[in-house]
Amino acid sequence: MHYCPGCTHMTIHKILADTIDELGIKEEAIGVAPVGCAVLIYEYFDCDMVQAPHGRAPAVATGMKSANEDNMVFTYQGDGDLASIGTAEIIHSAVRGENLTTVFVNNAIYGMTGGQMAPTTLIEQITTTTTKGRNSKDHGYPYKISEQIANLDGASYVSRQSVHNKNAIENTKRAIKKAFVAQQNKEGFSLVEILSTCPTNWGLNPKQSIEWIEKNMLPIFQTGDLKTTD
Amino acid sequence: MRRILIKGNEAIGEAAIQAGCEAYFGYPITPQNELTEYMSEKLPQYGGRFIQAESEVGAINMLLGAAASGARAMTSSSGPGISLKQEGISYMTGMELPALIVNVVRGGPGLGGIAPAQSDYFQATRGGGHGDYRVITLAPANIQEIIDLTSECFWLAELYRNPVMLYADAVLGQMMEPVNVKSDNLFSKYRTRDKLPKVWAASGQKNRSYVNKLTSLYLEPEELEKHNLKLNKKYDVIKKKEKRFEIINPGAKYFLVAYGIVSRICKLVVKNARERGLNIGLIRPISLWPFPDIAFENVMDNARSFLCVEMSMGQMIEDVKLAVDGRAQVFFYGRSGGVLPKPNDIMSVIEDKMLKGEMIET
């Protein structure tokens, strides 16, 4: 176990692994690991896994689907990986309508490198590169990339969820399942963004971190389905 | 056997398809666009997937994914695009993924120009991206050879689990030449070579009792060193077995050293010079990495000097000097920016440098 105490990566890992088991897709599943805290996700999953360069997971997954379109391919990416360095790859995978599923973990900060500003960092949030708090004049605005992806014709299912309480966890599980089913039905690109904690780099204890999601993240990153084919 | 006329870039595409290419990932850049266009049209007809990526970065990482899943796959580009692909190439060598990368070289640095050059030699043969790694690099000199080497590249990639680069230039990409077609309409000689079993591929567990995990991450220094030693051992085997070259007039006293399109200009110079009674030969590296230093051993007994001719400001000459190792003089003549060296200019350099103070022997 390499995640910090109070980090919700493990909760999300468990939801994802449970979903793979429940859908019975372990033998077709290939996961693509990001660069960031979740780089070692391949250690925790009992299915084929590949580690991608920073931000490139959706391109790698696209290549895997080209090799075998019947495989169930998912990427697991943080906010720096997906919404900063990998913006082109995630957007264009959705533009092409690739039958992929992306689990996008948004904790509003760069975790592994020590707490720098991420594209999803909130206004006034303190990070090691915004020590006086992020301000829009110098640092721009929090990037709601899921809303942008939901607007693309190639995206079939886009949802934002959280894991700050039991209800949120259940909603997250339903969303991930729906995303994989969309891939199974070859409906196009599917993505579930999940609001997640970073106690270490937020400078909060686990309990405070959960409260920080509720108080600060939920008003900006509102949860719910952003696009669905239902 | 019949002969058809085909353009270099299209020959790469057709040879790749005949060699069993299953996926191609490209991004437009001159002077290799005919290859991308050819694959968009033809590859899907053979059941393969063509993707025009959002960038060269996207394309190389799609290639990484396809190779990781066990497909025989390729990408192509030219200098500026190959620079963007270096990140993915480094990862692929670290993960030991086989794939074909084509560079139809144009002049640089920067945006440079679209005319032919050989100035990506360092990038191709020294690794190019970050970390301790090598990429097998083969340099054809005509379109028949483009065809043979394209399928050979796939084979070597899978044999050694390493990316392989086909290193051509804008002349070879754009020119048309006749090539041999066998009775079954094929011109690729390795069609019959089946893919090697890829027991390591992350292709979905299916009937395997084990799962495959591919990574280039080794956080423990000792583990990464072990990995690099393993890669190096593989590179040593490649150096031992895969040096390719052509020698013309091995008993000569003076040698031109050139590859790709420049070697063909040099062949003409050798022919003309021998008609004038000059005892001159040619060493043509076909594998740029591993560099065929053994070719120099074959001629060193009689060789007095070497003239390295390149369409660059002097890159391969470093390998020539390493191979010669001070045992003979090494001269250089290079043109850059898309300018081709002319036979007369090369002849002048031979006269001014190599033959200076020496009697012309007949």
Side-chain angles (χ1 to χ4, degrees), chain B residues 179-301:
Chain B
V179 297
N180 295 326
V181 179
K182 290 166 218 147
S183 54
D184 50 1
N185 273 338
L186 298 176
F187 53 41
S188 176
K189 65 179 177 181
Y190 297 110
R191 172 86 192 213
T192 52
R193 278 188 183 172
D194 288 329
K195 283 203 290 183
L196 293 166
K198 293 177 176 171
V199 294
W200 48 264
S203 51
Q205 188 189 349
K206 307 207 173 61
N207 300 322
R208 270 188 266 122
S209 59
Y210 55 93
V211 295
N212 281 328
K213 298 182 178 182
L214 298 169
T215 181
S216 58
L217 178 70
Y218 298 87
L219 287 170
E220 291 299 324
E222 288 77 14
E223 288 298 307
L224 180 54
E225 186 182 48
K226 208 170 109 186
H227 179 60
N228 280 329
L229 285 169
K230 182 188 151 204
L231 292 181
N232 210 52
K233 213 167 155 184
K234 175 169 80 178
Y235 300 147
D236 282 342
V237 174
I238 296 170
K239 278 193 260 186
K240 208 168 182 178
K241 293 188 171 171
E242 306 300 344
K243 288 173 182 167
R244 289 146 199 249
F245 56 91
E246 179 189 3
I247 303 182
I248 292 173
N249 305 326
K253 274 172 71 175
Y254 309 98
F255 280 92
L256 300 180
V257 187
Y259 68 95
I261 197 68
V262 179
S263 71
R264 293 179 64 178
I265 299 167
C266 286
K267 272 185 188 177
L268 182 66
V269 174
V270 167
K271 184 171 165 278
N272 292 345
R274 286 181 76 86
E275 279 168 11
R276 285 177 45 193
L278 284 179
N279 192 5
I280 194 160
L282 170 73
I283 293 178
R284 174 171 80 94
I286 298 170
S287 59
L288 302 184
W289 193 88
F291 187 74
D293 46 9
I294 44 171
F296 293 81
E297 301 307 318
N298 292 344
V299 305
M300 200 55 81
D301 284 349

Side-chain angles (χ1 to χ4, degrees), chain A residues 30 38 59 63 83 91 105 118 133 168 172 182 184 186 224:
Chain A
I30 312 175
I91 293 285
V105 180
T172 297
Q184 269 179 327
K186 297 190 169 32

Side-chain angles (χ1 to χ4, degrees), chain B residues 30-31 78-81 83 103-121 123 167 311-313 315 335-339:
Chain B
T30 308
S78 187
S83 292
N103 185 1
V104 182
V105 185
R106 56 189 260 177
L111 199 50
I114 57 169
Q118 295 181 322
S119 46
D120 297 347
Y121 182 93
Q123 185 193 53
Y167 181 104
M311 285 195 293
S312 81
M313 298 311 291
Q315 300 196 13
R335 297 304 301 265
S336 169
V339 181

Side-chain angles (χ1 to χ4, degrees), chain A residues 33-127:
Chain A
V35 170
C37 289
V39 66
L40 292 171
I41 186 178
Y42 54 82
E43 303 274 10
Y44 299 105
F45 277 70
D46 185 29
C47 64
D48 281 5
M49 298 288 289
V50 171
Q51 203 286 307
H54 197 18
R56 320 299 179 215
V60 171
T62 297
M64 295 182 139
K65 275 296 210 188
S66 307
N68 185 348
E69 62 173 7
D70 294 326
N71 279 331
M72 295 291 289
V73 181
F74 66 92
T75 71
Y76 189 103
Q77 303 176 256
D79 40 293
D81 193 82
L82 181 143
S84 189
I85 194 168
T87 311
E89 285 76 19
I90 195 74
I91 293 285
H92 282 277
S93 295
V95 165
R96 288 190 303 272
E98 296 288 343
N99 272 304
L100 304 171
T101 298
T102 290
V103 176
F104 167 31
V105 180
N106 177 6
N107 60 10
I109 205 159
Y110 279 80
M112 185 190 247
T113 46
Q116 296 82 8
M117 181 184 73
T120 50
T121 292
L122 303 178
I123 297 296
E124 292 183 3
Q125 186 182 338
I126 289 170
T127 72

